Amino acid sequence: MSRSIRPDAVLIQAVIAGALSFAHLHDLAAAAGQSGWKAWAYPISVDLLLVAAWRRLRTGRDRSSWTWFAIALCASLGANVATAGLLDMEHVPAWLRILVAGWPALAFLGGTLLVHAPAPNTTDPEPEPAAQEVEMHRTDTPEPAPAPLPAAELTAASPPPATAPTVPPALLDHARSIADAHRNTTGEPITTDALTARLGLPASTCQAIATQLQLT
């Protein structure tokens, strides 16, 4: 099934710009002493270098791609400006003749470097087979649980119990008075929770106070 060809403004503009640039490069090369088929080869060389640099930029933006793209673009724009009446085409300066004569070697060097330069590696490298086997072994084979330690080693490895906080004598006397008042009022000894609520201190401190009160 054939597809209809529709005109595209960007495509038409690209064809016009390419034709004009091609003609300007041909005229400049012919004015610089490159006659015959050589004058037609220069526009092809410039456009090929420009396309090669552009394709390289799309795959990986390295510094060399930008350099050769700028060189080819300057050659194309320079020919357009030079043939716009700013340069006497009958008397081309010597430096311009040297540039035109040395362009084939420069374009060949740029094209070779762009084509044969290694592409940047954007993907992660695949692991080696040995690393894959180790990873599969780690994933598929569960690690055995550690054997329990003997009771003697477990007791030796366990951290020592925390020491009880030191209770100041004044605080101990105050707690004893609260405990005595509670016993005189209710006829029962005060509990640790009740003592903690009356003192408003941390539970560990109140537990130490209750222990000392029971000892005394």
Side-chain angles (χ1 to χ4, degrees), residues 29-107:
Q34 307 296 327
S35 59
W37 65 269
K38 293 181 291 183
W40 292 107
Y42 275 88
I44 299 175
S45 176
V46 173
D47 291 343
L48 286 179
L49 182 61
L50 192 64
V51 171
W54 172 249
R55 289 176 60 88
R56 183 70 178 182
L57 284 175
R58 295 188 63 184
T59 56
R61 297 182 178 180
D62 53 346
R63 185 176 300 177
S64 62
S65 302
W66 281 111
T67 301
W68 291 109
F69 182 80
I71 291 174
L73 187 62
C74 290
S76 180
L77 292 177
N80 295 337
V81 174
T83 56
L86 300 180
L87 180 68
D88 186 4
M89 303 298 290
E90 300 296 332
H91 301 85
V92 178
W95 61 266
L96 185 57
R97 293 177 179 270
I98 295 175
L99 289 179
V100 172
W103 173 259
L106 182 63

Side-chain angles (χ1 to χ4, degrees), residues 2 12 30 48 62-63 90 98 117 135 140 166 171 173 206:
S2 61
I12 296 175
L48 286 179
D62 53 346
R63 185 176 300 177
E90 300 296 332
I98 295 175
E135 187 66 24
D140 299 337
T166 304
L171 181 59
D173 293 339
C206 294

Side-chain angles (χ1 to χ4, degrees), residues 20 56 79 104 110 117 120 151 169 176 185:
L20 291 175
R56 183 70 178 182
R176 183 178 290 107
T185 303

